[in-house]
Amino acid sequence: MSRRAGILEFAVLGLLRESPMHGYELRKRLNTSLGVFRAFSYGTLYPCLKTLVANGWLIEEPGNTSEDALAAPLAGRRAKIVYRLTAEGKEHFEDLLSQTGPDAYEDEHFAARFAFFGQTSRDVRMRVLEGRRSRLEERLEKMRASLARTRERLDDYTLELQRHGMESVEREVRWLNELIESERAGRDLKGSASGESAQQNTTSGSSGVLPRPGDTPQADTPDETAT
């Protein structure tokens, strides 16, 4: 399995843990809540869903809302298929949620992991945050060393681009320091004392996804049904 496919499966399981959804709703949530999935298609999502069903982590159910019941005969299509997390799927997601290996620190995987920090235990959050900070500090050191070696050979615009990249990494390191400080103090992200996991609203778009140049919201696409 590719790293990208693994991240998508993780995110789908996490969203379905909140509530059952049909494919169109899932795609919309992935687009709006998890910026890392802003540019992907049904051609990517549905094979992922079929794999999760085959593994026994999801089950397919016919849509039972009045809207679905009316849409099928009027449009000449079947009602939407609703995907529901199984007990085995929940157990598998919780196992993925507890993992703190190097993949959890990488750019895309970290964004997806952070979006589900509200469902993650404090000790795991701490290990992921500290691992991410360590990874970025290593990256920052390499960027500084590279800039020092090549500064004289770079034109002004390339030099400014290098500085911009360093500043972006420095900002994220400062952000991580603040999060780690809050976790150590037993505070949630609102700053109140709490011994429980910080609750993140992943439906509002505040998913902790780091903005990247060129990121723009994607318009909703016409409704589609599973085949």
Side-chain angles (χ1 to χ4, degrees), residues 117-163:
F117 262 24
Q119 303 180 41
T120 307
S121 64
R122 188 180 299 277
D123 62 321
V124 172
R125 293 200 304 264
M126 279 291 294
R127 289 198 293 272
V128 173
L129 290 172
E130 289 174 341
R132 175 66 176 175
R133 180 176 64 180
S134 177
R135 180 63 52 86
L136 289 183
E137 286 174 340
E138 292 174 4
R139 184 183 301 176
L140 191 57
E141 188 62 30
K142 291 178 181 178
M143 293 173 74
R144 287 169 176 161
S146 176
L147 184 60
R149 289 195 307 269
T150 61
R151 181 187 299 272
E152 299 302 324
R153 301 196 299 271
L154 299 177
D155 61 63
D156 290 343
Y157 293 100
T158 304
L159 186 60
E160 189 59 30
L161 184 62
Q162 295 263 353
R163 288 173 176 160

Side-chain angles (χ1 to χ4, degrees), residues 13 15 31 45 75 80 109-110 124 150 164 181 186 203 221 224:
L13 291 172
L15 289 175
N31 283 340
L45 176 59
K80 300 184 185 76
H109 208 154
F110 173 75
V124 172
T150 61
H164 173 70
E181 173 87 21
T203 65
T221 56
E224 296 188 33

Side-chain angles (χ1 to χ4, degrees), residues 78-96:
R78 293 182 302 166
K80 300 184 185 76
I81 294 175
V82 173
Y83 295 90
R84 182 185 298 274
L85 197 65
T86 64
E88 292 80 5
K90 181 179 179 181
E91 183 178 349
H92 178 62
F93 177 70
E94 289 174 351
D95 179 61
L96 294 175

